[in-house]
Amino acid sequence: EISQLQMMGLDPDIITTDAWAMSQLMKRVVPDEYKERPVCVINLGASQTGINMFLGDGPVLVRSCAIGGNDITRAIAQSYGITFEQAEKAKIDSGFVLTQTHMTEHGSTISKDQIRFSDTICLSLNPILREIKQALISYKTQTKLAPKAIFVTGGTSLLPNLTLYLEE
């Protein structure tokens, strides 16, 4: 609420939606070759994930799910019996996702501990993956187009190999 912001000493001039803010950001950062093509932006936040489908500058489909980076951290904490803070540090400092390609090409050099850590993260990503798939299906149904690019943003997007995992 605006009154809560004002109690904190903030007096906003503008309040906007995530989709509008993302469309304004896209105008500035999306490479020219994608400007008039359908694209998807997945924003992996701490407590929610936003899936924004754009055609040109405007949002065509916006979907949000109440799952984010904190859910991955909680899964690590639960799996390893450590605190949330320890799990967050482990995710940031040592987190990674193993893809099928990694398993095929480097399977003999990947330890069971690495597989367990990656599997913990991957299992916590499953609900997000379902939402992304559903959004892509809805987008294609509405527009008869498939996105030409998918951009992944947010702190969780920094997990090594995450984009390769999402591609698979």
Side-chain angles (χ1 to χ4, degrees), residues 18-19 21-23 25-27 29-30 38-44 49-54 56 61-63 132 135-136 139 147 149-154:
D18 286 345
M22 192 66 68
S23 69
L25 177 64
M26 288 186 58
K27 288 179 185 178
V29 300
V30 171
V39 297
C40 174
V41 179
I42 301 167
N43 184 23
L44 296 164
T49 297
I51 305 159
N52 301 277
M53 310 297 256
F54 294 92
L61 184 137
V62 177
R63 194 176 184 105
I132 292 169
L136 292 171
Y139 182 77
I150 298 176
F151 299 100
V152 184
T153 66

Side-chain angles (χ1 to χ4, degrees), residues 57-133:
D57 290 337
V60 175
L61 184 137
V62 177
R63 194 176 184 105
S64 181
C65 64
I67 302 160
N70 288 344
D71 296 290
I72 295 169
T73 303
R74 277 190 281 281
I76 294 168
Q78 184 177 8
S79 179
Y80 288 91
I82 58 178
T83 67
F84 183 88
E85 291 75 22
Q86 291 169 321
E88 181 71 8
K89 182 169 175 32
K91 180 180 80 174
I92 291 169
D93 293 348
S94 308
F96 61 91
V97 178
L98 294 172
T99 65
Q100 290 300 320
T101 303
H102 288 107
M103 297 303 287
T104 302
E105 293 177 4
H106 308 288
S108 61
T109 60
I110 298 171
S111 73
K112 289 181 182 181
D113 288 336
Q114 289 173 316
I115 293 170
R116 177 181 175 207
F117 193 71
S118 175
D119 284 351
T120 300
I121 292 172
C122 291
L123 283 173
S124 64
L125 285 169
N126 281 342
I128 295 171
L129 288 174
R130 280 192 296 276
E131 291 292 329
I132 292 169
K133 287 177 184 177

